[in-house]
Amino acid sequence: MEYVQPPATAAHGHILCCTCGVPIPPNPANMCVSCLRTQVDISEGIPKQVSVHFCKQCERYLQPPGTWVQCSLESRELLALCLKKLKGSMSKVRLIDAGFLWTEPHSKRIKMKLTIQKEVMNGAILQQVFVVEFVVQPQMCDDCHRVEAKDYWKAVVQVRQKTVHKKTFFYLEQLILKHRVHQNTLRIKEIHGYFNSLIFYFGSRLFSATSKASQRLISHDVHSNSYNYKSTFSVEIVPICKDNVVCLSPRLAQSLGNMGQVCVCVQVTSTIHLLDPNTLQLAEVDANTYWRYPFNSLCSPRQLDEFIVMDIDIIRDLRLGAGAGLRSNRHTLAEVWVQKTSEMDTSQQYHCRTFLGHLLNIGDLALGYDFANANINDEFLNKMNPHHVPDVVLIKKSYDRAKRIKRRNWKLKELARDKEGLDTDDERQYQDFLEDLEEDEALRKNVNIFRDASKIPVESDTDDEGVPRVSLAEMLEDLSLSDATGGEGADMMTD
């Protein structure tokens, strides 16, 4: 303890301490520091040992009453949290300085040196330095407790789609990450089978749903008339994805502007965007219309064949019939002769119309569905005039996958989830999804794409070939924060 000289003193020389008689500079108490220490302790009432609670699972500290904050050792945030524990007992003193004293990181002790001032006898201002020890007590936070319990959930949402591939769920995962929907979940589970499913477990029911719902009574308190339910919601996604070929019912095709029954799905948003490969006619089908007039995909992505373009002729003047809807301006209609790369030793060729006239040239490779040799069981396709069913429907231009992977200098983030019944074809399907992002700028707008610093961009004039690429302007920096606290932290208490 030391005495702080007031800024203005009228007396000069020395006086004798009124208690022990030692000569001292004049002060309002007329006492030396030793005698003042025996009379007054300005740190009285301030606890010298305090407990703080720490969750070992998520490495967060409890900030009363119920907030858990991330703090690193000797950080501003931890200093502010510790000072708030002392705020009530330090209301009568002035905090001058606060800082940490080094302790062994595994000692479960945090020591803090405080400097305080207080006005005592006859206006004298005393300043004292002392140490407060904070004992770190282990306590599991509510979030980690729910995760460990695994079955501690109040609501579960199951999103499922009856398809043999997972392209929709790859896109859904990126939407969830972009909008941070996963932050309130306790657990995410992925199931692959007849239905591809994502199951989200929540600690409370904080949402409403228009899908199928059910609930089960867990407990009932007859005294307070309160009920504890577990709610389950099931959401089924329309089983149509981008690049699927579908066959519409005659009634639905007529209502969409007399378009052809065999169409290609070019985009899926809140509606299904269909394109007639024979006329470039566009139509949108919303959810209500789909479930009223349902249709299925005719082929799966595994049935895609590779074709080589033998000849191509652009169709420039095509007149549509009465009542026709909008035509696509992004595509070019063309007639092509193609041959399967697996049948190059034969003379078999196929003639068809395609919407890829702006991309294809003679000698290019394209992926499509071979309807001439396929055995398809579809209610509407089987009733169509065989002359109106195309032999081949081309879906997209084909590029060298090995080169695309080598040149890809970006990456996506993934959800932390439990996986069950995974398919061995997952990697190929994921590469298909990444290629869709490169080829479709509209699809990339809803996805956070991060620059992959581990890959060196490959620039070469010989291997360009017009391969679609993600521009550098569309990539985000993948930040890895070394300081878990971040920011400037909370304001420290100075009262």
Side-chain angles (χ1 to χ4, degrees):
M1 180 183 295
E2 58 179 306
Y3 166 71
V4 178
Q5 181 72 26
T9 56
H12 297 280
H14 290 74
I15 63 172
L16 299 178
C17 174
C18 65
T19 301
C20 65
V22 174
I24 59 172
N27 63 72
N30 295 327
M31 282 188 181
C32 64
V33 174
S34 300
C35 294
L36 275 173
R37 186 182 291 115
T38 61
Q39 298 292 327
V40 179
D41 180 12
I42 63 174
S43 67
E44 184 179 4
I46 301 176
K48 303 304 186 292
Q49 190 175 76
V50 183
S51 296
V52 292
H53 295 91
F54 176 73
C55 178
K56 293 188 294 184
Q57 273 73 15
C58 61
E59 298 184 350
R60 293 187 297 174
Y61 291 87
L62 174 62
Q63 180 175 295
T67 305
W68 292 84
V69 295
Q70 195 89 23
C71 302
S72 60
L73 290 176
E74 300 190 6
S75 65
R76 290 173 57 88
E77 287 74 18
L78 184 58
L79 183 67
L81 185 145
C82 293
L83 287 175
K84 286 180 181 179
K85 302 280 287 186
L86 303 174
K87 186 173 183 178
S89 60
M90 297 179 63
S91 58
K92 296 181 180 180
V93 299
R94 178 180 177 83
L95 179 64
I96 302 302
D97 188 29
F100 290 105
L101 297 177
W102 186 87
T103 56
E104 173 65 35
H106 302 288
S107 65
K108 303 299 182 183
R109 297 291 188 273
I110 301 173
K111 291 187 178 181
M112 182 186 295
K113 183 174 71 173
L114 302 178
T115 303
I116 60 175
Q117 285 183 354
K118 182 180 181 181
E119 184 177 336
V120 291
M121 301 177 182
N122 301 323
I125 300 177
L126 292 183
Q127 180 170 301
Q128 183 174 347
V129 179
F130 64 101
V131 175
V132 177
E133 184 180 73
F134 295 86
V135 181
V136 180
Q137 300 285 353
Q139 178 178 328
M140 186 178 290
C141 66
D142 293 340
D143 294 338
C144 292
H145 184 273
R146 289 166 182 163
V147 172
E148 290 297 320
K150 292 186 181 299
D151 197 36
Y152 188 81
W153 53 269
K154 294 294 184 66
V156 60
V157 178
Q158 183 181 29
V159 182
R160 59 183 189 170
Q161 184 183 38
K162 188 163 57 176
T163 58
V164 295
H165 56 86
K166 300 167 57 177
K167 188 179 296 187
T168 302
F169 286 93
F170 289 137
Y171 183 53
L172 177 61
E173 177 183 28
Q174 297 305 315
L175 292 178
I176 292 171
L177 287 169
K178 183 179 179 68
H179 299 285
R180 302 177 182 272
V181 181
H182 63 292
Q183 290 185 335
N184 296 324
T185 60
L186 303 178
R187 180 187 175 201
I188 301 175
K189 185 178 181 181
E190 177 184 353
I191 299 177
H192 184 76
Y194 178 71
F195 276 96
N196 290 319
S197 302
L198 274 179
I199 305 177
F200 302 87
Y201 296 89
F202 295 88
S204 59
R205 178 178 171 175
L206 301 176
F207 52 88
S208 59
T210 57
S211 57
K212 295 180 180 179
S214 63
Q215 59 183 12
R216 178 164 60 96
L217 179 64
I218 302 301
S219 61
H220 172 215
D221 189 345
V222 295
H223 301 289
S224 61
N225 200 30
S226 61
Y227 296 82
N228 182 19
Y229 287 101
K230 279 189 174 183
S231 304
T232 303
F233 301 89
S234 178
V235 181
E236 184 173 351
I237 301 176
V238 171
I240 303 298
C241 303
K242 183 178 181 295
D243 296 337
N244 282 170
V245 179
V246 300
C247 186
L248 309 179
S249 65
R251 183 174 180 179
L252 178 59
Q254 184 180 14
S255 67
L256 296 177
N258 291 322
M259 67 188 305
Q261 287 184 248
V262 178
C263 299
V264 178
C265 176
V266 293
Q267 189 179 7
V268 178
T269 56
S270 56
T271 59
I272 302 173
H273 298 250
L274 299 176
L275 174 68
D276 186 345
N278 290 315
T279 61
L280 296 187
Q281 189 172 340
L282 285 172
E284 294 185 20
V285 178
D286 58 23
N288 292 331
T289 303
Y290 175 83
W291 294 116
R292 193 161 56 246
Y293 304 105
F295 50 87
N296 298 313
S297 173
L298 299 180
C299 302
S300 69
R302 297 179 183 178
Q303 296 173 287
L304 281 171
D305 291 310
E306 189 176 59
F307 296 86
I308 185 169
V309 179
M310 308 302 293
D311 192 13
I312 183 168
D313 185 18
I314 302 297
I315 300 176
R316 304 192 182 278
D317 298 321
L318 178 69
R319 295 182 180 180
L320 298 180
L326 298 175
R327 291 186 64 189
S328 172
N329 295 323
R330 296 173 49 197
H331 306 89
T332 301
L333 190 63
E335 289 187 350
V336 293
W337 286 91
V338 295
Q339 185 175 16
K340 275 187 182 182
T341 56
S342 60
E343 299 177 351
M344 295 297 293
D345 56 343
T346 67
S347 60
Q348 178 66 44
Q349 294 187 6
Y350 304 92
H351 174 264
C352 65
R353 283 188 178 183
T354 180
F355 56 93
L356 302 175
H358 59 298
L359 295 176
L360 297 179
N361 296 297
I362 296 176
D364 285 345
L365 297 177
L367 297 177
Y369 295 108
D370 179 8
F371 283 88
N373 301 306
N375 183 12
I376 300 174
N377 185 16
D378 183 81
E379 175 187 0
F380 305 122
L381 187 69
N382 294 338
K383 296 179 181 179
M384 283 184 62
N385 186 335
H387 297 288
H388 295 163
V389 179
D391 291 338
V392 173
V393 177
L394 298 181
I395 299 299
K396 59 183 177 179
K397 186 175 179 179
S398 178
Y399 302 94
D400 190 328
R401 171 163 289 185
K403 288 183 179 180
R404 297 185 73 169
I405 295 176
K406 184 178 179 180
R407 293 166 50 135
R408 187 173 294 138
N409 60 338
W410 54 273
K411 61 183 179 179
L412 302 176
K413 292 190 174 180
E414 297 183 9
L415 287 172
R417 59 192 185 275
D418 301 332
K419 299 183 180 181
E420 181 178 306
L422 296 184
D423 195 342
T424 55
D425 201 30
D426 280 357
E427 180 59 30
R428 186 192 64 82
Q429 294 184 41
Y430 188 66
Q431 291 299 326
D432 289 342
F433 174 66
L434 297 183
E435 292 174 1
D436 287 344
L437 289 179
E438 290 175 333
E439 297 167 5
D440 193 339
E441 184 178 356
L443 194 66
R444 294 197 299 267
K445 291 182 179 180
N446 296 322
V447 176
N448 285 339
I449 297 176
F450 297 91
R451 188 173 67 87
D452 191 351
S454 64
K455 289 190 176 181
I456 301 176
V458 177
E459 298 291 345
S460 174
D461 296 333
T462 59
D463 62 353
D464 188 9
E465 301 176 359
V467 178
R469 302 178 65 180
V470 178
S471 65
L472 189 61
E474 298 176 90
M475 300 182 196
L476 302 174
E477 289 292 337
D478 188 13
L479 299 178
S480 57
L481 300 179
S482 57
D483 184 6
T485 58
E488 294 296 330
D491 295 331
M492 292 187 295
M493 182 181 64
T494 57
D495 297 334

